[in-house]
Structure formats: structure tokens, C-alpha cells
Amino acid sequence: MAQYESDHTKFMRQWMEKHPEEREEQRRGRALWWDKPQDLKTSETNQASHVPQKAYYYQNEH
């Protein structure tokens, strides 16, 4: 059974085949925004400071 592949995915696959130099640009972009070293203390602080959100964000208490 064939899996569905969107037109956008097909386009990007073809485009990346025609422009292999973009792989390096993609890696640099990922490193810039996502691939960061993790700090356990910062993660714990962020999790401890989390404030629970109400089920319906816009509901007021009047």
C-alpha cells in the first residue's frame, strides 16, 4: 500500500535533488535555532516556574 505524499513534499524532494548545496544551509539553520546544548538546571527552573493554564483561556471569572 502506497503512503500519501503531499504535493509540497514532492516539490521539496525534487527541489532538494536539484539543489544539493541547500543541505548545508539547512543544517546551519537547524543549528542556529534547534541544536542547542541542554542545561539541566535551566530546564528544571523553567519547569518549576510553569503556571497552569485554564481549560478555556478566554473565560473570565465574572
Side-chain angles (χ1 to χ4, degrees):
M1 180 175 187
Q3 281 188 301
Y4 170 76
E5 188 171 69
S6 71
D7 291 338
H8 178 74
T9 301
K10 290 175 188 176
F11 168 78
M12 289 305 298
R13 285 188 200 282
Q14 291 171 358
W15 193 83
M16 290 300 273
E17 286 174 10
K18 293 177 185 174
H19 301 89
E21 69 279 1
E22 290 299 320
R23 293 261 184 236
E24 184 57 34
E25 180 68 20
Q26 188 179 35
R27 283 189 198 99
R28 284 198 308 260
R30 180 183 170 107
L32 179 66
W33 293 104
W34 298 104
D35 296 337
K36 301 290 182 188
Q38 299 298 307
D39 179 24
L40 185 58
K41 183 174 176 147
T42 302
S43 295
E44 289 172 349
T45 302
N46 289 345
Q47 193 163 11
S49 66
H50 176 74
V51 177
Q53 184 174 333
K54 296 179 183 178
Y56 183 66
Y57 184 78
Y58 295 105
Q59 182 175 0
N60 55 19
E61 308 215 6
H62 298 133

